[in-house]
Amino acid sequence: TQLLEQSPQFLSIQEGENLTVYCNSSSVFSSLQWYRQEPGEGPVLLVTVVTGGEVKKLKRLTFQFGDARKDSSLHITAAQPGDTGLYLCAGEPNNAGNMLTFGGGTRLMVKP
Amino acid sequence: EPEVTQTPSHQVTQMGQEVILRCVPISNHLYFYWYRQILGQKVEFLVSFYNNEISEKSEIFDDQFSVERPDGSNFTLKIRSTKLEDSAMYFCASSEGFRIGTWETQYFGPGTRLLVL
């Protein structure tokens, strides 16, 4: 089983601060996806990264896939209360079919 | 924007009863999936389905579980004899297509919260 470890598990910051969430594995992934999940709802896709070293930006969110495709990070600039939520990374294991392996999530709270 | 829908949103059942969870994947998608999330735990893969047969399944997906595409739009998960530990949020997902070794984005439904008493 290929595991994805997310850190930190919880993060509480003030509005305007920057933060980075990490998603790490000892295994290689064909792709890595970041989702955001609200309580009682399904994961909503934010971005998919595919190429080692790839960087994608979504407004104030910057996603990076590690060169070796074993890790990824999500950086939020100038966090806002609306960014509060659970952020999940999920990877498609290399040559292991189309199942997604999820990390445990980072619960972010941005205080005004 | 097309989305995956699931019914019911909540289901309460007695232990030992059968339940059927329903999903309508995005219309032009070919691959369908079920995941579950026990309260406070990670989202876990159960099964993937393509061309009217199971593509992959996890250890969780034992003989109590089955999936079906009864018509051109619905995708169902049946639990034959529910156990207390089946209580979880069940998510359906779909993706456009699939080639081994390439990426494929999965879109998730809102989930069905199953409570087994």
Side-chain angles (χ1 to χ4, degrees):
Chain A
T1 303
Q2 296 174 272
L3 297 176
L4 278 170
E5 299 292 336
Q6 278 187 249
S7 61
Q9 291 183 27
F10 301 95
L11 190 56
S12 180
I13 60 172
Q14 292 294 135
E15 181 176 1
E17 291 183 6
N18 301 331
L19 66 114
T20 302
V21 175
Y22 299 94
C23 180
N24 295 303
S25 176
S26 58
S27 304
V28 176
F29 287 86
S30 298
S31 68
L32 213 135
Q33 298 168 26
W34 285 91
Y35 292 87
R36 179 172 162 175
Q37 186 181 23
E38 302 298 334
E41 298 181 11
V44 175
L45 180 72
L46 296 174
V47 80
T48 301
V49 285
V50 182
T51 307
E54 182 177 6
V55 176
K56 282 193 175 178
K57 292 194 174 186
L58 189 66
K59 296 183 182 177
R60 292 175 294 100
L61 279 59
T62 301
F63 304 86
Q64 184 162 10
F65 202 11
D67 290 341
R69 292 186 289 131
K70 293 182 179 180
D71 55 85
S72 182
S73 64
L74 157 60
H75 182 79
I76 302 180
T77 304
Q80 299 176 1
D83 296 327
T84 294
L86 179 67
Y87 291 84
L88 301 170
C89 66
E92 184 180 318
N94 208 30
N95 296 321
N98 52 346
M99 53 184 281
L100 285 179
T101 297
F102 276 81
T106 294
R107 189 164 297 281
L108 171 66
M109 176 176 288
V110 182
K111 293 179 278 189
Chain B
E1 188 173 323
E3 56 183 21
V4 177
T5 60
Q6 290 184 243
T7 55
S9 58
H10 296 79
Q11 174 92 49
V12 181
T13 190
Q14 294 291 324
M15 189 170 59
Q17 294 296 305
E18 174 183 285
V19 294
I20 298 176
L21 309 183
R22 291 181 168 80
C23 168
V24 178
I26 295 173
S27 62
N28 64 338
H29 285 187
L30 301 178
Y31 283 84
F32 317 118
Y33 313 84
W34 283 101
Y35 291 80
R36 80 171 185 191
Q37 186 177 31
I38 295 171
L39 189 64
Q41 297 187 21
K42 292 182 181 183
V43 177
E44 301 173 290
F45 170 80
L46 292 178
V47 66
S48 60
F49 190 85
Y50 169 71
N51 199 26
N52 282 318
E53 60 183 27
I54 290 174
S55 177
E56 286 184 275
K57 60 181 181 178
S58 70
E59 292 175 354
I60 303 168
F61 194 87
D62 61 23
D63 292 343
Q64 293 297 315
F65 291 89
S66 63
V67 289
E68 193 179 28
R69 186 143 164 90
D71 54 46
S73 60
N74 290 285
F75 178 51
T76 63
L77 174 69
K78 182 192 290 185
I79 309 176
R80 258 179 279 282
S81 177
T82 50
K83 303 187 279 280
L84 296 177
E85 54 265 37
D86 293 328
S87 295
M89 193 79 159
Y90 287 81
F91 295 109
C92 174
S94 69
S95 63
E96 259 186 62
F98 170 70
R99 286 177 295 138
I100 294 175
T102 66
W103 64 274
E104 198 58 63
T105 297
Q106 296 182 23
Y107 296 88
F108 283 76
T112 293
R113 185 173 296 283
L114 176 65
L115 179 61
V116 182
L117 302 176

